[in-house]
Amino acid sequence: MRIEAAFNSGDRLPLIPFITAGDPSLEVTLDMIRLLDEEKVTAIELGVPYSDPLADGPVIQSASERAVSQGVTLTRVLELARTAREMGVTTPLVLFSYYNPILRFGEEALVERARSSGLDGMIIPDLPWEEGRRFSRLAGEQGMDLIPLVAPTSRERIRRIVSDARGFVYCVSSLGTTGMRQHFSEGVEPFLDVVREYSPVPTAVGFGISRSEHVRHFLNHADGVVVGSALVRLIEAKGDRLRDSNRKEQAVAEIREFIRDLTGNTPSIP
């Protein structure tokens, strides 16, 4: 599996960036995928823009609204992944989508299309583990990982949820929605340690992580970190420049610097 290999590779950053596909445009998202691939992150979460999200905070909600207004759909995100693979991107790609678009697309059709598009896994935050067994099996038959989520409130369910996990386990650091935070809940570190103890695959922690000191701290308790809102907001701030061929290069360089600063570790880039 490409995700498992990425976690075990010594030359990849323990970082899983989330980007909203289509914000500010699909062309810019493709540029961001290529940048993150060059930086050798562990995996890239491709967020499918959705009009009624449950877990997304205001930054990602706004990004989704911009993408939806341009007609970005699940089908177009799948096409984006295929294009990225055709351009030589090798980093694991993980689809992040709520369940309604998948239900409408059709579960079997989706996993087949996702695999043929070069995706390696999926995260569906509003599909409880107990209700996702069939979909997980379908994904597995296509060689894809349905990444489970666990939260501090999962408690006695943690061991069950992670027992047959594939790819990695997504640990939610805090209750509520995504978004940059200054402080994290007491007890998050013991929670992460418990998940790590039970999980047969690597763990990654997300929700609220935006700075290098956060990353360094959580890497003591997880195998990777997910950074979403901070990167999405940075892309939003530089959106006009990223769409301007005369100013794009500098904007891309500034985003690359942010990615490198998060871990304080610059991988060897050919």
Side-chain angles (χ1 to χ4, degrees), residues 20-33 46-47 49 67 70-73 75-81 83 243:
T20 300
D23 178 48
S25 70
L26 287 169
E27 291 74 17
V28 169
T29 302
L30 187 58
D31 288 338
M32 294 299 100
I33 293 173
L46 277 179
Q70 298 180 72
V72 177
T73 62
T75 298
R76 297 186 72 184
V77 178
L78 294 170
E79 293 170 352
L80 176 73
T83 301
R243 285 179 292 186

Short mmCIF file of all heavy atoms in Angstrom, two decimals, residues 20-33 46-47 49 67 70-73 75-81 83 243:
data_model
loop_
_atom_site.label_atom_id
_atom_site.label_comp_id
_atom_site.label_asym_id
_atom_site.label_seq_id
_atom_site.Cartn_x
_atom_site.Cartn_y
_atom_site.Cartn_z
N THR A 20 -8.46 22.25 -0.22
CA THR A 20 -9.79 22.16 -0.81
C THR A 20 -9.65 22.18 -2.32
O THR A 20 -9.16 23.16 -2.90
CB THR A 20 -10.66 23.34 -0.34
OG1 THR A 20 -10.78 23.31 1.08
CG2 THR A 20 -12.05 23.27 -0.97
N ALA A 21 -10.09 21.12 -2.97
CA ALA A 21 -9.96 21.03 -4.42
C ALA A 21 -10.81 22.11 -5.10
O ALA A 21 -11.99 22.25 -4.80
CB ALA A 21 -10.38 19.65 -4.89
N GLY A 22 -10.17 22.86 -5.97
CA GLY A 22 -10.91 23.87 -6.73
C GLY A 22 -10.88 25.25 -6.13
O GLY A 22 -11.51 26.17 -6.67
N ASP A 23 -10.16 25.45 -5.04
CA ASP A 23 -10.05 26.78 -4.45
C ASP A 23 -8.62 27.28 -4.54
O ASP A 23 -7.74 26.68 -3.94
CB ASP A 23 -10.49 26.76 -2.98
CG ASP A 23 -10.33 28.11 -2.31
OD1 ASP A 23 -10.78 29.11 -2.90
OD2 ASP A 23 -9.74 28.17 -1.21
N PRO A 24 -8.32 28.32 -5.26
CA PRO A 24 -9.26 29.18 -5.99
C PRO A 24 -9.64 28.65 -7.37
O PRO A 24 -10.54 29.19 -8.00
CB PRO A 24 -8.50 30.50 -6.09
CG PRO A 24 -7.07 30.09 -6.19
CD PRO A 24 -6.95 28.88 -5.31
N SER A 25 -8.94 27.62 -7.83
CA SER A 25 -9.27 27.01 -9.12
C SER A 25 -8.65 25.61 -9.14
O SER A 25 -7.74 25.30 -8.35
CB SER A 25 -8.71 27.82 -10.29
OG SER A 25 -7.28 27.72 -10.33
N LEU A 26 -9.14 24.75 -10.01
CA LEU A 26 -8.56 23.41 -10.12
C LEU A 26 -7.12 23.48 -10.61
O LEU A 26 -6.29 22.64 -10.23
CB LEU A 26 -9.41 22.56 -11.06
CG LEU A 26 -10.77 22.12 -10.50
CD1 LEU A 26 -11.64 21.52 -11.59
CD2 LEU A 26 -10.58 21.12 -9.36
N GLU A 27 -6.80 24.46 -11.43
CA GLU A 27 -5.42 24.61 -11.91
C GLU A 27 -4.47 24.92 -10.76
O GLU A 27 -3.37 24.37 -10.67
CB GLU A 27 -5.35 25.72 -12.98
CG GLU A 27 -6.04 25.38 -14.28
CD GLU A 27 -7.57 25.44 -14.19
OE1 GLU A 27 -8.09 26.05 -13.22
OE2 GLU A 27 -8.22 24.85 -15.06
N VAL A 28 -4.90 25.81 -9.86
CA VAL A 28 -4.06 26.13 -8.70
C VAL A 28 -3.95 24.92 -7.77
O VAL A 28 -2.88 24.64 -7.23
CB VAL A 28 -4.63 27.35 -7.94
CG1 VAL A 28 -3.93 27.52 -6.59
CG2 VAL A 28 -4.46 28.62 -8.77
N THR A 29 -5.04 24.19 -7.58
CA THR A 29 -4.97 22.98 -6.74
C THR A 29 -3.95 22.00 -7.31
O THR A 29 -3.18 21.38 -6.57
CB THR A 29 -6.35 22.31 -6.65
OG1 THR A 29 -7.29 23.25 -6.11
CG2 THR A 29 -6.30 21.09 -5.73
N LEU A 30 -3.92 21.86 -8.62
CA LEU A 30 -2.92 20.98 -9.24
C LEU A 30 -1.51 21.49 -8.96
O LEU A 30 -0.60 20.69 -8.67
CB LEU A 30 -3.18 20.88 -10.74
CG LEU A 30 -2.33 19.88 -11.52
CD1 LEU A 30 -2.52 18.46 -10.96
CD2 LEU A 30 -2.70 19.90 -13.00
N ASP A 31 -1.32 22.78 -9.02
CA ASP A 31 -0.01 23.36 -8.66
C ASP A 31 0.36 23.02 -7.22
O ASP A 31 1.52 22.71 -6.91
CB ASP A 31 -0.03 24.89 -8.83
CG ASP A 31 -0.04 25.32 -10.29
OD1 ASP A 31 0.39 24.52 -11.15
OD2 ASP A 31 -0.46 26.45 -10.55
N MET A 32 -0.63 23.09 -6.31
CA MET A 32 -0.37 22.80 -4.90
C MET A 32 -0.02 21.32 -4.70
O MET A 32 0.85 20.98 -3.91
CB MET A 32 -1.58 23.18 -4.05
CG MET A 32 -1.89 24.68 -4.00
SD MET A 32 -0.55 25.66 -3.28
CE MET A 32 0.24 26.31 -4.76
N ILE A 33 -0.73 20.45 -5.42
CA ILE A 33 -0.41 19.01 -5.31
C ILE A 33 1.03 18.76 -5.75
O ILE A 33 1.77 18.02 -5.11
CB ILE A 33 -1.40 18.20 -6.17
CG1 ILE A 33 -2.82 18.28 -5.60
CG2 ILE A 33 -0.96 16.73 -6.26
CD1 ILE A 33 -3.88 17.65 -6.48
N LEU A 46 -7.27 15.53 -0.36
CA LEU A 46 -7.97 16.34 -1.34
C LEU A 46 -9.41 16.52 -0.88
O LEU A 46 -10.21 15.58 -0.94
CB LEU A 46 -7.95 15.65 -2.71
CG LEU A 46 -6.71 15.82 -3.57
CD1 LEU A 46 -6.88 15.03 -4.87
CD2 LEU A 46 -6.48 17.29 -3.87
N GLY A 47 -9.75 17.70 -0.43
CA GLY A 47 -11.08 17.96 0.08
C GLY A 47 -12.08 18.19 -1.03
O GLY A 47 -11.87 19.05 -1.89
N PRO A 49 -15.26 19.84 -2.18
CA PRO A 49 -16.09 20.94 -1.65
C PRO A 49 -17.53 20.49 -1.47
O PRO A 49 -18.08 19.80 -2.32
CB PRO A 49 -15.96 22.02 -2.73
CG PRO A 49 -15.53 21.32 -3.97
CD PRO A 49 -14.72 20.15 -3.51
N ALA A 67 -15.24 27.06 -4.19
CA ALA A 67 -15.08 25.98 -5.17
C ALA A 67 -16.42 25.53 -5.74
O ALA A 67 -16.56 25.32 -6.95
CB ALA A 67 -14.35 24.81 -4.52
N GLN A 70 -17.86 27.58 -8.43
CA GLN A 70 -17.22 27.42 -9.74
C GLN A 70 -17.57 26.07 -10.39
O GLN A 70 -17.00 25.71 -11.42
CB GLN A 70 -15.70 27.52 -9.59
CG GLN A 70 -15.23 28.86 -9.06
CD GLN A 70 -13.72 28.88 -8.93
OE1 GLN A 70 -13.01 28.92 -9.94
NE2 GLN A 70 -13.24 28.83 -7.70
N GLY A 71 -18.46 25.36 -9.75
CA GLY A 71 -18.92 24.09 -10.34
C GLY A 71 -18.02 22.90 -10.07
O GLY A 71 -18.07 21.91 -10.81
N VAL A 72 -17.18 22.98 -9.03
CA VAL A 72 -16.31 21.85 -8.71
C VAL A 72 -17.13 20.76 -8.03
O VAL A 72 -17.81 21.01 -7.04
CB VAL A 72 -15.14 22.29 -7.80
CG1 VAL A 72 -14.29 21.09 -7.41
CG2 VAL A 72 -14.29 23.34 -8.51
N THR A 73 -17.09 19.57 -8.56
CA THR A 73 -17.85 18.43 -8.07
C THR A 73 -16.92 17.27 -7.73
O THR A 73 -15.71 17.31 -8.02
CB THR A 73 -18.84 17.96 -9.14
OG1 THR A 73 -18.08 17.52 -10.29
CG2 THR A 73 -19.80 19.08 -9.55
N THR A 75 -16.85 14.46 -9.22
CA THR A 75 -16.32 13.95 -10.48
C THR A 75 -15.11 14.75 -10.93
O THR A 75 -14.09 14.17 -11.38
CB THR A 75 -17.41 14.00 -11.57
OG1 THR A 75 -18.50 13.16 -11.18
CG2 THR A 75 -16.87 13.54 -12.91
N ARG A 76 -15.16 16.05 -10.80
CA ARG A 76 -14.03 16.87 -11.23
C ARG A 76 -12.82 16.69 -10.31
O ARG A 76 -11.67 16.81 -10.75
CB ARG A 76 -14.45 18.34 -11.32
CG ARG A 76 -15.54 18.59 -12.37
CD ARG A 76 -15.84 20.04 -12.54
NE ARG A 76 -14.76 20.75 -13.23
CZ ARG A 76 -14.73 22.06 -13.43
NH1 ARG A 76 -15.73 22.82 -12.98
NH2 ARG A 76 -13.74 22.63 -14.06
N VAL A 77 -13.06 16.41 -9.04
CA VAL A 77 -11.94 16.13 -8.13
C VAL A 77 -11.27 14.82 -8.51
O VAL A 77 -10.03 14.70 -8.48
CB VAL A 77 -12.42 16.12 -6.66
CG1 VAL A 77 -11.26 15.78 -5.73
CG2 VAL A 77 -13.02 17.47 -6.28
N LEU A 78 -12.06 13.83 -8.89
CA LEU A 78 -11.49 12.56 -9.35
C LEU A 78 -10.65 12.78 -10.61
O LEU A 78 -9.57 12.21 -10.76
CB LEU A 78 -12.61 11.55 -9.62
CG LEU A 78 -13.42 11.10 -8.39
CD1 LEU A 78 -14.64 10.30 -8.81
CD2 LEU A 78 -12.56 10.29 -7.43
N GLU A 79 -11.15 13.62 -11.51
CA GLU A 79 -10.38 13.93 -12.73
C GLU A 79 -9.09 14.65 -12.38
O GLU A 79 -8.05 14.44 -13.01
CB GLU A 79 -11.24 14.78 -13.66
CG GLU A 79 -12.44 14.02 -14.23
CD GLU A 79 -13.42 14.95 -14.95
OE1 GLU A 79 -13.24 16.18 -14.88
OE2 GLU A 79 -14.37 14.42 -15.56
N LEU A 80 -9.15 15.51 -11.36
CA LEU A 80 -7.95 16.21 -10.91
C LEU A 80 -6.89 15.23 -10.42
O LEU A 80 -5.70 15.37 -10.73
CB LEU A 80 -8.33 17.19 -9.80
CG LEU A 80 -7.18 17.95 -9.14
CD1 LEU A 80 -6.64 19.03 -10.07
CD2 LEU A 80 -7.65 18.59 -7.83
N ALA A 81 -7.32 14.25 -9.64
CA ALA A 81 -6.38 13.24 -9.14
C ALA A 81 -5.74 12.49 -10.30
O ALA A 81 -4.52 12.23 -10.31
CB ALA A 81 -7.09 12.28 -8.19
N THR A 83 -5.26 13.53 -13.33
CA THR A 83 -4.31 14.42 -13.99
C THR A 83 -3.00 14.51 -13.22
O THR A 83 -1.91 14.49 -13.79
CB THR A 83 -4.92 15.83 -14.14
OG1 THR A 83 -6.12 15.75 -14.90
CG2 THR A 83 -3.95 16.78 -14.83
N ARG A 243 -3.16 32.78 -9.38
CA ARG A 243 -3.83 32.71 -10.69
C ARG A 243 -3.22 33.64 -11.72
O ARG A 243 -3.66 33.67 -12.86
CB ARG A 243 -5.32 33.04 -10.51
CG ARG A 243 -6.11 31.90 -9.88
CD ARG A 243 -7.55 32.26 -9.68
NE ARG A 243 -7.71 33.30 -8.66
CZ ARG A 243 -8.86 33.72 -8.20
NH1 ARG A 243 -9.98 33.21 -8.67
NH2 ARG A 243 -8.93 34.65 -7.27
#
